Amino acid sequence: MNADAIPDFLAEQRDAAPEELQGLVIEFETLWERKLWHQLTNLLIDFFNHPGSAPQRLQFYKVFVLKFADKINQLKLVDLALKAATQCTSNAERLAFMEAVAKRVDTENSQDALVFATIAVARVKLDLGDFDGARKDLDKAERVLDSFDSVETIVHAAFYDANADYYKAKVDFGSYYRNALLYLACIDIKSLSPAERRGRAYDLSMAALASTSIYNFGELLLHPILDALTQDPEGQWVRELLFAFNRGDLTTFDSLVGNIRKNPILAEHYRQLRQKIYLAALTEAVFRRPPHDRAMTFATIAAETKVKPQEIEHLIMKALSLDLLRGTIDQVDQVAHINWVQPKVLDMQQIDNMRQRLKDWDSSVNQLGNWIEGVGQDVWAA
């Protein structure tokens, strides 16, 4: 379609558009004639964002937007293309469409747009089950992203979201957890629907619990996304389980075993979860003690963690290897000398315990001061 036919196209689209969008289509023609590309682009984004525009997006993009595609912000061009691609009738059609978009923006001055489009291509490949192809595109996008001094947040958000979906499909819990949290750091979670927030919170919780590399849930426990689980009866116990792990609460863990065994993911990793809660109980037992009283006998550890005495040494070695604790083991006397415990998020009970420890420390300092004052009176007098 040549440029002279654009007014006729816009007139047809105006008549086909919902009444509340017809005013926008009329403005398109005015901005087109005046060559106000920036304003036209922003108005098109508003149009494409409206649910009522869905049936017209693909036609608008192919016939209208491509007429001035090289005159507008290329990142916004890809954004429009992504919204138009939702109307493709199949993943194969969507893939061809987005690959053409990526090729169009593959220029020296629009590398951010190329990354954005490449990520979109990777997402379609994920939908098609082409995991190797998706990984190749995501790695390519990451290399370009790493070369930027700065880039629009929307690009980083798209990358981390696609990366998280890839790792979710590959059942790589640790990598999914990290990328999903990075994605949430790039967006306003209020932009997600309640169902999306619950889904994200649930998936993050499952990844944190089932991962073999995540033993500190602090970042997730502090994130407002976790509040979404309080609105879901099925998710409330998952939230309770996370906090139980954080404070090494074996009693709560045991009370939730029935729920754990009914959950396919957690049931599959039950033995691993049991070891995790033992490690959490160990670190909590160390944390509760003042730094000068962290030489713990194996018998004491067995009593606090409910681990069999013959398995205590292995438990401590596991905690040391994961850098949850630092210290040494006296195998002869069966004593663990701990000099450091990994920091973690504290709940109100743990904060109260710390407050009590500070009060005890303050009291001991006062007693020491009074003793020094009493035994050193002659020195002070001189």
Side-chain angles (χ1 to χ4, degrees):
M1 181 181 290
N2 58 47
D4 294 337
I6 291 297
D8 294 335
F9 170 78
L10 291 176
E12 292 174 4
Q13 295 301 315
R14 180 198 63 212
D15 293 340
E19 186 176 350
E20 65 270 23
L21 294 178
Q22 290 181 1
L24 286 178
V25 180
I26 292 171
E27 288 187 62
F28 291 162
E29 185 172 358
T30 301
L31 296 172
W32 158 264
E33 291 175 349
R34 296 174 62 188
K35 294 181 172 56
L36 297 175
W37 309 123
H38 174 71
Q39 293 87 335
L40 179 55
T41 304
N42 290 337
L43 208 61
L44 277 163
I45 290 174
D46 291 341
F47 179 80
F48 275 43
N49 282 338
H50 192 289
S53 71
Q56 297 172 276
R57 291 174 194 164
L58 201 56
Q59 192 72 356
F60 252 105
Y61 180 85
K62 291 179 177 179
V63 176
F64 184 50
V65 175
L66 289 183
K67 289 295 181 185
F68 52 92
D70 59 337
K71 297 180 175 66
I72 66 175
N73 181 301
Q74 297 298 281
L75 201 56
K76 291 184 177 180
L77 174 66
V78 176
D79 189 31
L80 290 170
L82 284 170
K83 293 177 172 64
T86 61
Q87 300 309 301
C88 292
T89 56
S90 67
N91 284 327
E93 181 187 352
R94 187 175 297 111
L95 178 62
F97 178 77
M98 289 311 306
E99 285 179 334
V101 173
K103 185 176 181 180
R104 171 177 282 277
V105 298
D106 187 5
T107 66
E108 184 178 350
N109 296 323
S110 59
Q111 289 297 289
D112 55 345
L114 173 61
V115 169
F116 199 22
T118 301
I119 294 167
V121 170
R123 292 197 69 94
V124 182
K125 288 182 179 179
L126 283 177
D127 292 338
L128 289 167
D130 181 7
F131 298 118
D132 290 340
R135 184 70 264 161
K136 182 178 179 181
D137 287 335
L138 289 171
D139 288 343
K140 175 184 174 183
E142 186 173 22
R143 286 193 295 272
V144 180
L145 274 175
D146 288 343
S147 69
F148 291 153
D149 292 328
S150 64
V151 69
E152 292 285 347
T153 305
I154 189 176
V155 180
H156 270 130
F159 172 74
Y160 291 129
D161 191 27
N163 229 16
D165 284 349
Y166 170 82
Y167 288 119
K168 181 179 178 180
K170 299 295 285 185
V171 199
D172 184 337
F173 295 114
S175 296
Y176 168 80
Y177 180 83
R178 287 183 285 274
N179 281 275
L181 280 176
L182 286 168
Y183 166 69
L184 292 176
C186 294
I187 66 167
D188 180 357
I189 65 169
K190 293 179 182 176
S191 64
L192 301 176
S193 69
E196 287 176 319
R197 289 198 291 271
R198 287 194 297 272
R200 293 273 177 184
Y202 179 82
D203 288 343
L204 275 165
S205 300
M206 290 297 108
L209 291 165
S211 171
T212 56
S213 60
I214 300 168
Y215 291 84
N216 190 328
F217 308 151
E219 193 172 358
L220 176 58
L221 298 180
L222 288 173
H223 203 289
I225 194 71
L226 204 60
D227 293 338
L229 294 180
T230 61
Q231 312 300 322
D232 179 13
E234 292 299 317
Q236 180 63 39
W237 72 267
V238 176
R239 187 174 185 275
E240 291 176 10
L241 183 61
L242 286 170
F243 278 95
F245 270 91
N246 188 60
R247 60 180 181 269
D249 188 343
L250 286 160
T251 302
T252 300
F253 178 87
D254 288 337
S255 71
L256 294 172
V257 165
N259 298 85
I260 292 171
R261 292 195 180 280
K262 291 177 184 176
N263 183 284
I265 295 175
L266 299 184
E268 182 180 348
H269 297 85
Y270 179 75
R271 289 185 63 184
Q272 177 185 311
L273 286 172
R274 177 62 71 174
Q275 184 183 61
K276 267 191 175 185
I277 195 64
Y278 288 151
L279 287 167
L282 172 60
T283 57
E284 179 64 18
V286 175
F287 182 79
R288 285 199 303 266
R289 286 169 166 73
H292 64 270
D293 186 27
R294 288 182 174 171
M296 302 173 65
T297 65
F298 285 13
T300 299
I301 294 173
E304 299 221 19
T305 62
K306 300 181 182 178
V307 174
K308 296 176 182 178
Q310 64 269 27
E311 297 177 0
I312 293 299
E313 185 176 349
H314 179 267
L315 179 70
I316 300 169
M317 291 176 66
K318 182 71 173 178
L320 293 172
S321 69
L322 292 169
D323 206 29
L324 301 176
L325 302 173
R326 293 176 190 167
T328 58
I329 302 174
D330 185 334
Q331 293 174 308
V332 176
D333 294 333
Q334 293 197 322
V335 176
H337 300 274
I338 309 300
N339 53 45
W340 180 87
V341 60
Q342 186 183 81
K344 59 181 176 179
V345 174
L346 305 181
D347 61 20
M348 293 307 295
Q349 181 60 50
Q350 291 168 312
I351 291 172
D352 187 62
N353 291 338
M354 180 173 283
R355 182 181 67 86
Q356 186 59 49
R357 281 167 50 191
L358 288 171
K359 287 175 67 177
D360 294 342
W361 173 80
D362 181 61
S363 176
S364 65
V365 169
N366 285 333
Q367 290 175 7
L368 178 61
N370 293 333
W371 178 81
I372 292 173
E373 184 178 356
V375 299
Q377 286 181 354
D378 294 339
V379 176
W380 311 140

